[in-house]
Amino acid sequence: MQRLANKRLVLGVTGGIAAYKSAELIRRLIDAGAEVRVVMTSAAQEFITPLTLQALSGNPVHLALLDTEAEAGMGHIELARWGDALLIAPASADFIARLTHGHGNDLLTTLCLAARCPIHIAPAMNQGMWASSANQNNIQQLETNGIHLIGPGSGYQACGDIGLGRMSEPDDIAQILADSFQTGSLTGTQVVITAGPTREAIDPVRYISNHSSGKMGFALAEAARDAGATVTLIAGPVNLATPDRVNRINVVSAEDMLVATTECLDHLSLNSSVSSEGSIIFIGTAAVADYRPDTSATQKIKKTQGNPNLTLQLIENPDIIATVAKRSPKPFTVGFAAETQNVLAYANDKIARKNLDMIIANDVSNKDIGFNSDLNAVTIIWPEGNKTVDIASKAIIANSIIQQISLQL
Ligand SMILES: Cc1cc2nc3c(=O)[nH]c(=O)nc-3n(C[C@H](O)[C@H](O)[C@H](O)COP(=O)(O)O)c2cc1C
């Protein structure tokens, strides 16, 4: 069921006796790590209350198409875009007919028309209704249209009949849905990424920093998430939107970044389900300032007449990546080497000196790539080998790095 972790599921519930099973189904999906939003038809609300499904899903239940409040917030198009999959369970014969013929006369059918994600239906109805030629034609057409059918099962029915038409059990539906998602190469891992520059205060209005934009770290966060990892992004001051489904912690200085990193890794290590080898990955993309002023003035430093020189005393900042690489158990630790000369030689030295598992070397002297650019070109180096990724978007570079990390775990 790990494949449901972090997945966004829209569950449609239609009017049938089996609607009571959708409560259990929501529990199964949420236990597997999915986020669930429920849409109910009017008939479904005669069988089970929205309140029950709202309490179980932890989200408001969507009931009406023409609801001005809902349209201002999570309207039908937004909801269709939100879902990674749409599951209708139970799916009534009437709903199946409406779906087959492209109706958009209520929220659920409109959502199905708008959805670009996979749609799964778990029919539930009397065996005679299921076997009817009208219903069988509809099912055939839906399968031709690419709708995925789950069940139905066979057995005793609420009406007293025995036969095909029972909704599949919630456990089976959840499993089939989980299997429908491809396993990402980092499924089940926790990835912690630092990104951006740090700012080291000189006084309340001035600081020392660097040109890092954070774009590489943010692209890696998206790539790791898409590969199935749960991602925490510890970001210095950058002007970038938080990627969807990524947990972001904002920091300012190198010392703040070290505290946030340590707390995050402590928390993950305590969680026994993720502490096995290779399950925690640390990627240090942040351009952490090597030095900071030894004191930060509490008031703005004034310009003194007749004194052309101002001397700042700097002290060394903590080495975040070396600190992470000394932890026990040690996360799979990936560093970045942004150099302006002898890039490969410095990177190889850094991998050995800091006990890293991998280092990404990039030449920031090339103005077309590196800091602030949307492009990059890197060499991925690990103890047994290396791989060069030619100039490409940071998203493509990030995917190559994530793929290489998954091969080395
Ligand atoms: C007590 C009762 C039980 C029903 N059970 C089912 C059922 O299991 N499957 C089904 O397809 N229709 C069943 N129906 C009929 C649907 O509720 C009806 O077709 C309704 O219009 C479906 O609306 P919806 O598809 O918008 O939810 C039942 C009706 C009643 C009164």
Side-chain angles (χ1 to χ4, degrees):
M1 292 272 194
Q2 239 173 15
R3 295 179 202 183
L4 287 180
N6 271 334
K7 290 288 180 292
R8 289 169 165 175
L9 306 176
V10 179
L11 173 66
V13 182
T14 69
I17 297 288
Y20 78 93
K21 288 190 188 174
S22 52
E24 192 58 37
L25 178 57
I26 292 170
R27 289 288 297 271
R28 294 282 174 276
L29 299 173
I30 286 181
D31 286 351
E35 190 179 346
V36 180
R37 288 186 181 269
V38 178
V39 176
M40 298 177 79
T41 62
S42 319
Q45 296 164 53
E46 302 292 331
F47 292 86
I48 186 165
T49 67
L51 196 60
T52 304
L53 303 192
Q54 173 173 316
L56 288 169
S57 67
N59 282 312
V61 171
H62 304 265
L63 303 172
L65 178 61
L66 305 173
D67 173 347
T68 45
E69 235 174 70
E71 284 300 306
M74 179 72 81
H76 64 282
I77 300 294
E78 230 179 298
L79 198 51
R81 285 197 193 118
W82 178 87
D84 294 317
L86 203 52
L87 165 67
I88 294 91
S92 70
D94 193 60
F95 171 79
I96 286 169
R98 302 200 308 274
L99 184 62
T100 307
H101 298 287
H103 289 206
N105 56 351
D106 64 3
L107 178 58
L108 190 55
T109 47
T110 313
L111 200 58
C112 290
L113 285 174
R116 291 294 165 263
C117 62
I119 302 177
H120 304 257
I121 58 168
M125 65 196 71
N126 163 271
Q127 52 87 25
M129 291 167 75
W130 172 254
S132 69
S133 46
N135 183 63
Q136 285 303 310
N137 288 340
N138 289 341
I139 290 292
Q140 213 174 1
Q141 184 60 54
L142 286 180
E143 288 196 287
T144 307
N145 292 353
I147 306 283
H148 305 279
L149 190 66
I150 303 179
S154 185
Y156 282 100
Q157 300 201 298
C159 54
D161 284 3
I162 302 175
L164 206 57
R166 281 167 56 98
M167 184 171 104
S168 298
E169 292 308 316
D171 266 341
D172 297 334
I173 296 176
Q175 190 61 57
I176 290 168
L177 199 62
D179 291 346
S180 75
F181 288 106
Q182 287 197 337
T183 328
S185 57
L186 292 186
T187 297
T189 64
Q190 296 275 349
V191 175
V192 179
I193 300 171
T194 60
T198 63
R199 277 183 191 167
E200 312 300 327
I202 297 170
D203 66 18
V205 293
R206 303 181 182 95
Y207 54 80
I208 298 171
S209 192
N210 58 62
H211 292 296
S212 170
S213 66
K215 286 177 184 170
M216 193 65 237
F218 277 59
L220 276 163
E222 291 197 40
R225 174 207 63 199
D226 291 345
T230 303
V231 182
T232 304
L233 183 58
I234 300 172
V238 291
N239 195 16
L240 295 173
T242 308
D244 250 5
R245 281 173 271 177
V246 165
N247 171 33
R248 175 174 180 173
I249 301 170
N250 287 323
V251 295
V252 177
S253 68
E255 287 178 301
D256 296 344
M257 193 171 267
L258 177 64
V259 170
T261 302
T262 305
E263 282 178 1
C264 178
L265 292 173
D266 284 350
H267 174 75
L268 295 177
S269 302
L270 276 177
N271 182 343
S272 58
S273 69
V274 295
S275 62
S276 60
E277 201 178 321
S279 61
I280 302 179
I281 298 157
F282 177 80
I283 311 177
T285 70
V288 182
D290 290 329
Y291 293 91
R292 69 178 184 277
D294 67 345
T295 53
S296 163
T298 50
Q299 302 296 332
K300 184 181 171 198
I301 300 170
K302 295 281 182 207
K303 184 174 175 182
T304 323
Q305 288 301 324
N307 185 2
N309 299 316
L310 173 70
T311 305
L312 284 177
Q313 177 76 26
L314 301 180
I315 56 168
E316 205 174 7
N317 260 331
D319 187 330
I320 297 175
I321 198 137
T323 309
V324 170
K326 281 187 195 134
R327 289 178 67 92
S328 176
K330 180 188 160 200
F332 186 89
T333 309
V334 182
F336 267 69
E339 306 288 355
T340 52
Q341 54 181 337
N342 299 330
V343 175
L344 274 178
Y346 281 127
N348 273 315
D349 168 62
K350 199 166 169 180
I351 204 168
R353 195 164 30 86
K354 297 197 180 185
N355 187 27
L356 305 183
D357 297 292
M358 184 179 279
I359 202 153
I360 317 301
N362 60 350
D363 182 351
V364 289
S365 66
N366 182 342
K367 283 197 200 68
D368 296 333
I369 60 173
F371 283 148
N372 259 318
S373 167
D374 290 326
L375 301 174
N376 207 352
V378 299
T379 304
I380 307 171
I381 306 164
W382 60 99
E384 302 80 29
N386 65 70
K387 180 182 166 187
T388 298
V389 189
D390 283 337
I391 193 159
S393 73
K394 285 185 174 170
I396 290 175
I397 301 275
N399 280 326
S400 298
I401 294 170
I402 291 298
Q403 194 188 9
Q404 198 60 49
I405 290 173
S406 69
L407 293 173
Q408 301 311 127
L409 289 178

